[in-house]
């Protein structure tokens, strides 16, 4: 039975990856931080067979301990301060977790596996935010980086470190340059979920409007369930490599609002949306769209959920969840 250790198991991707690996016969271990992490009951409900280990990416001994206990064949490093907006306000924590955390887990692997590094494979959750102020469109593996936030800078450090440990020590280390991926499990601070939740609550009469920032930014949004499959595929190849994972389509926040509000029968959303400078970023990534040809050709990967289907899935899930929380029976869409 192959064994996998996932950092960031309590996050959106950790949950989908845990489900995927369990369904493929893995023994799954997940790193959980904090002395009483409130997400543990939710993880145990969604992933009943998974063994949770205490540890933190800012604490090297705890990473060594987690590797010693789990002895994984595959390590997926998904843990991070992942919200770009907060990375300016907590730049040091972002650097320590999202950047230096990668160094610590790689060093922990070297310490635990010693001369036997061929026993383990490593996946690093890199990001399209590394492309930042994009030098070419669409972005591919060879596009130069120009990160625009402390988060993007920290991810770029983690990416190059992953490449460096592959080149320096022969570690089977892959970096996935993943574009935005979403789901009903997405954190409520990210724009897709913020919108799907607000639209659900507007539909149910629980609120009137939503306050957002820059409506003109464009992103390449896919479904998280598809993207964790690409992570797994990277670690099953004969040789380690880096891959862009994306849908190849780009949409603005305005288009996101169009689809989300259309789901509840509202075509003019202007009276429900307020734009507030508070939600603008000090430096914006204006447009992202990825070219995932390499992943398609070498990994046989392609997205299965389109933009409209994704947004509708999220709005529907939020209508159900918000209605249940408010004790309402939602009217049929
Ligand atoms: P997420 O939902 O925000 O999950 C982040 C995870 O990191 C959580 O489990 C969190 O634990 C954990 N974490 C935070 N600080 C930690 C620390 N000091 N030590 C250990 N774990 C810590 O993020 P996601 O959307 O699943 O993304 C997974 C990874 O992919 C992240 O590295 C993200 O930066 C990267 N990524 C995401 C996207 C995307 O569109 N989703 C795209 C490209 C790359 P708590 O629950 O305890 O806070
Ligand atoms: O912002 C704009 C905002 O926070 C998307 C993370 O998973 O994907 C994610 O990073 C866009 C930006 O995601 C609001 O300015 C407007 O242009 O949903 P987001 P992100 O910054 O793209 C990448 C690939 C990652 O790696 C990250 O970990 O939407 N926007 N108004 C807003 N964004 C938010 N959050 N809230 C607003 O009110």
């Amino acid at each position: 039975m192959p064994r996998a250790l996932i950092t960031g198991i309590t996050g959106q991707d950790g949950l989908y990856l845990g489900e995927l690996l369990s369904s493929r016969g893995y023994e799954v271990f997940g790193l959980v931080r904090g002395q009483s992490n409130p997400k543990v009951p939710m993880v145990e409900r969604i992933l009943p067979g998974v063994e949770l280990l205490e540890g933190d990416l800012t604490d090297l001994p705890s990473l060594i301990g987690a590797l010693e206990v789990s002895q994984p064949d595959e390590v997926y490093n998904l843990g991070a301060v992942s919200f770009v907006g907060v990375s300016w306000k907590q730049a040091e924590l972002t650097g320590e977790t999202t950047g230096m955390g990668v160094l610590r887990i790689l060093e922990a692997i070297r310490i635990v596996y010693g001369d036997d590094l061929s026993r383990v494979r490593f996946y690093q959750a890199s990001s399209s935010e590394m492309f930042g102020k994009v030098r070419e469109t669409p972005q591919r593996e060879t596009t130069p980086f120009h990160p625009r936030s402390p988060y993007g800078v920290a991810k770029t450090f983690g990416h190059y470190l992953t490449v460096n440990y592959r080149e320096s020590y022969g570690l089977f280390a892959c970096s996935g340059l993943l574009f935005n991926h979403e789901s009903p499990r997405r954190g409520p601070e990210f724009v897709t979920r913020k919108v799907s939740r607000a639209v659900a609550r507007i539909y149910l009469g629980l609120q009137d409007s939503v306050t957002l920032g820059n409506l003109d930014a464009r992103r390449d949004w896919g479904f998280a369930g598809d993207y964790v499959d690409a992570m797994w595929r990277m670690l099953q190849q004969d040789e380690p490599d880096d891959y862009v994972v994306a849908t190849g389509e780009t949409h603005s926040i305005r288009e996101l609002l169009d689809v989300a509000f259309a789901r509840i029968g509202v075509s003019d959303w202007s009276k429900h949306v307020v734009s507030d400078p508070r939600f603008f970023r000090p430096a914006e990534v204006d447009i992202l769209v990825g070219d995932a040809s390499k992943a398609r050709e070498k990994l046989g990967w392609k997205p299965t959920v389109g933009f409209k289907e994704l947004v509708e899935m999220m709005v529907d899930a939020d209508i159900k969840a918000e209605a249940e929380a408010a004790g309402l029976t939602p009217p049929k869409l």
Side-chain angles (χ1 to χ4, degrees):
M1 201 179 193
R3 298 154 75 93
L5 173 65
I6 303 173
T7 73
I9 190 109
T10 55
Q12 170 188 254
D13 291 7
L15 293 170
Y16 281 110
L17 182 63
E19 284 176 328
L20 178 121
L21 295 179
S22 300
S23 75
R24 292 190 177 157
Y26 280 70
E27 189 174 357
V28 179
F29 297 82
L31 192 80
V32 176
R33 68 177 172 139
Q35 56 189 42
S36 175
N37 192 313
K39 294 185 188 160
V40 164
M42 177 269 296
V43 177
E44 287 176 338
R45 181 174 46 78
I46 294 175
L47 302 170
V50 167
E51 188 169 331
L52 298 180
L53 305 171
E54 289 170 4
D56 195 301
L57 284 164
T58 61
D59 182 69
L60 177 66
S62 71
L63 300 177
I64 294 171
L67 287 165
E68 278 172 344
V69 169
S70 55
Q71 293 288 324
D73 305 292
E74 297 174 9
V75 176
Y76 295 86
N77 185 38
L78 311 187
V81 173
S82 78
F83 184 38
V84 173
V86 92
S87 75
W88 280 277
K89 293 174 187 145
Q90 297 180 25
E92 186 178 351
L93 180 67
T94 304
E96 279 298 331
T97 310
T98 306
M100 283 295 289
V102 186
L103 176 73
R104 291 192 194 92
I105 188 113
L106 285 166
E107 277 300 297
I109 287 173
R110 280 199 338 115
I111 290 164
V112 172
Y113 288 83
D115 293 337
D116 212 3
L117 274 182
S118 63
R119 278 203 296 130
V120 65
R121 296 183 171 204
F122 178 77
Y123 173 83
Q124 168 56 20
S126 290
S127 165
S128 53
E129 282 295 300
M130 302 184 315
F131 296 121
K133 193 171 166 135
V134 298
R135 306 278 180 87
E136 65 175 339
T137 295
Q139 296 82 50
R140 46 180 71 91
E141 290 79 4
T142 50
T143 304
F145 298 138
H146 185 149
R148 294 275 277 173
S149 61
Y151 169 83
V153 173
K155 280 288 177 190
T156 306
F157 173 78
H159 167 79
Y160 280 129
L161 212 54
T162 302
V163 174
N164 182 256
Y165 273 55
R166 182 167 77 215
E167 293 175 355
S168 303
Y169 303 114
L171 178 67
F172 193 111
C174 298
S175 175
L177 292 85
L178 269 53
F179 283 62
N180 297 54
H181 44 280
E182 320 292 316
S183 74
R185 292 177 181 162
R186 187 59 143 150
E189 65 274 37
F190 300 96
V191 74
T192 50
R193 186 76 198 290
K194 191 171 167 184
V195 166
S196 68
R197 214 178 187 190
V199 166
R201 291 177 60 81
I202 290 166
Y203 179 62
L204 295 169
L206 298 171
Q207 74 185 57
D208 288 330
S209 63
V210 57
T211 305
L212 299 173
N214 175 14
L215 305 186
D216 296 315
R218 302 182 72 85
R219 290 290 182 276
D220 179 332
W221 279 296
F223 172 54
D226 286 341
Y227 285 46
V228 298
D229 181 43
M231 298 175 188
W232 176 78
R233 285 173 190 246
M234 285 180 215
L235 295 199
Q236 312 314 310
Q237 302 306 301
D238 291 337
E239 298 296 331
D241 207 344
D242 310 318
Y243 298 87
V244 160
V245 179
T247 69
E249 271 185 36
T250 186
H251 298 276
S252 65
I253 315 299
R254 287 179 198 283
E255 290 164 26
L256 166 68
L257 289 163
D258 288 343
V259 176
F261 275 98
R263 187 67 176 162
I264 59 163
V266 174
S267 54
D268 176 10
W269 43 260
S270 57
K271 70 172 189 297
H272 296 294
V273 177
V274 180
S275 179
D276 186 330
R278 211 160 34 104
F279 291 106
F280 280 68
R281 294 176 176 176
E284 179 61 285
V285 172
D286 296 322
I287 176 168
L288 289 173
V289 55
D291 174 357
S293 321
K294 181 174 166 186
R296 197 167 51 243
E297 282 154 27
K298 299 211 167 158
L299 305 179
W301 179 87
K302 63 175 184 335
T304 68
V305 179
F307 175 65
K308 182 167 178 283
E309 192 186 343
L310 173 65
V311 176
E312 290 179 349
M313 175 206 299
M314 293 177 70
V315 171
D316 292 359
D318 275 324
I319 290 175
K320 189 165 176 287
E322 292 293 326
E324 271 169 23
L328 299 170
T329 311
K332 272 227 164 321
L333 281 170

